[in-house]
């Protein structure tokens, strides 16, 4: 049995981008149906650092405070350390309040607050635990999607536009036959894990360079350290074959200050999670009746904590574009391309900057790079360039704001069958 539904916008993926966009649309009088393949948010998330730009979006939606109160940790800024020597110290306090810090916050809490806010709107239908298995098409145009939640839980949703917000391995993108545009431009993958370390936290997000290793570390609520060990791209299987003992010894050499807790708490390779680091830029972000946002459209390295923030900003930029297209009755590729055209340059700038960051901060020992790195870091810290780069990383090339002026119950749209 398949239930049939009609809505204005069908969103696929209840991540930060999909939920934030859904909430913006609902507050503008648009009906939204959201498919999410997971049945809940009680699972492991790694992306939990919010830049000021992402905080501003969530704050405008009224969910930041509640999510933060459920458990978070503020960080003054970012540091690059070589052994005990601080090469780079980016102080976010120079940005001024209220968004003068980085925020480590449980992504589950953010998603649950966004979903709860969406559910307060009568025009919202949510199908958790439903995988999208097909896109509905007519005459070359996407007109809806089918979500399968198991026996007797299949839903066919007809919509004026479908938004693919389902991540780096987007099923929506795959069903549309759009090339993900994978680019293996980074030399490292990241092996993530957490350790419980009361009193050992830091008020900075740090990259530690020592003994030929580069390791990302930041504090996480309540007394956790989130650690990302960078390893050469595609090398993890060979490293893992040596067993947990050699892995712990390499980590202890890179992070001697945390050597004891690493040795005690890492007991098996299953305690570690590998992130395959790559860049991706989908060949198309817009089709007739279809638009991709967040990681479904563009995938980034975890360095610089950009993923969640870019996804939230995508949603804020797409929101007024969708409203105009729905109101005008022309939800076509030309109308939706206003979003893609406005976003492309900013996303390309992030790609270029992350490639430079990766080579400068994470590269394996190299006599030339090791000589130049402190010089460049000093230049950033002692000149106005530091303030410029801080603002660029914090808010993006073009700062984005939520169009709260469009949050009016009088602005409504009706689905067209």
């Amino acid at each position: 049995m398949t239930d049939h539904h009609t809505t204005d916008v069908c969103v696929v993926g209840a991540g930060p981008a999909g939920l934030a966009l859904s909430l913006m649309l609902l507050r503008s009088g648009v009906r939204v149906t959201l498919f999410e393949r997971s049945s809940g948010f009680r699972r492991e998330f790694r992306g939990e650092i919010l830049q000021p730009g992402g905080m501003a979006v969530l704050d405008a939606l009224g969910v930041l405070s509640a999510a933060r109160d459920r458990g978070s940790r503020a960080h003054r800024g970012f540091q690059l350390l070589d052994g005990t020597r601080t090469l780079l110290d980016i102080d976010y306090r120079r940005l001024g309040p209220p968004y003068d810090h980085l925020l480590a916050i449980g992504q589950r809490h953010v998603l649950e607050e966004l979903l709860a806010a969406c559910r307060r709107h009568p025009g919202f239908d949510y199908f958790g635990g439903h995988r999208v298995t097909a896109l509905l098409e007519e005459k070359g145009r996407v007109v809806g999607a089918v979500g399968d939640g198991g026996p007797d839980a299949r839903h066919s949703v007809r919509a004026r536009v479908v938004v693919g917000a389902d991540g780096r391995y987007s099923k929506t993108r795959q069903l549309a036959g759009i090339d993900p545009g994978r680019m293996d431009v980074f030399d490292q993958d990241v092996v993530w894990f957490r350790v419980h370390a009361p009193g050992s936290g830091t008020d900075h997000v740090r990259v530690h360079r020592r003994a030929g290793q580069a390791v990302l570390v930041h504090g996480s609520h309540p007394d956790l350290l989130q650690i990302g060990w960078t390893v050469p791209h595609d090398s993890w299987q060979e490293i893992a074959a040596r067993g947990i003992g050699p892995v712990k010894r390499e980590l202890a050499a890179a992070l001697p200050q945390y050597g004891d807790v690493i040795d005690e708490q890492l007991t098996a390779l299953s305690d570690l999670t590998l992130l395959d680091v790559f860049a991706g830029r989908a060949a198309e972000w817009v089709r007739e009746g279809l638009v991709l946002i967040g990681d479904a459209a563009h995938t980034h390295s975890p360095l610089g904590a950009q993923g969640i923030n870019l996804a939230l900003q995508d949603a804020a930029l797409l929101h007024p574009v969708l409203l105009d297209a729905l109101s005008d009755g022309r939800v076509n590729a030309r109308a939706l391309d206003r979003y893609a055209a406005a976003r492309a340059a900013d996303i390309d700038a992030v790609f270029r900057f992350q490639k430079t960051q990766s080579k400068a901060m994470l590269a394996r020992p190299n006599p030339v790079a090791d000589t130049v790195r402190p010089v460049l870091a000093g230049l950033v810290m002692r000149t106005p360039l530091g303030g410029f780069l801080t603002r660029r990383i914090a808010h993006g090339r073009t700062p984005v704001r939520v169009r709260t002026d469009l949050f009016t119950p009088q602005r409504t749209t009706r689905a067209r069958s």
Side-chain angles (χ1 to χ4, degrees), residues 44 82 92 159 167 176 253 264 284 350 363 382 386:
E44 195 74 14
D82 193 343
Y92 272 55
E264 177 185 343
E284 301 169 74
V350 172
R382 293 191 298 269

Side-chain angles (χ1 to χ4, degrees), residues 93 169 232 250 330 337:
R93 291 175 299 178
Y169 302 113
E250 286 198 49
R330 294 190 294 270
D337 198 52

Side-chain angles (χ1 to χ4, degrees), residues 208-231:
H208 294 261
R209 294 184 57 85
R210 187 193 291 261
Q213 306 280 353
V215 188
L216 291 72
V217 180
H218 71 76
S220 180
H221 180 81
D223 292 306
L224 300 173
L225 290 176
Q226 175 100 268
I227 299 176
W229 178 35
T230 64
V231 299

Side-chain angles (χ1 to χ4, degrees), residues 6 145 203 304 393 410 415:
T6 304
D203 58 358
I393 296 171
Q410 281 73 44

Side-chain angles (χ1 to χ4, degrees), residues 255-270:
L255 294 172
Q257 64 272 51
Y258 304 126
D260 289 344
V261 293
I262 289 173
D263 183 60
E264 177 185 343
Q265 296 182 36
L266 287 188
T267 60
L269 291 172
S270 57

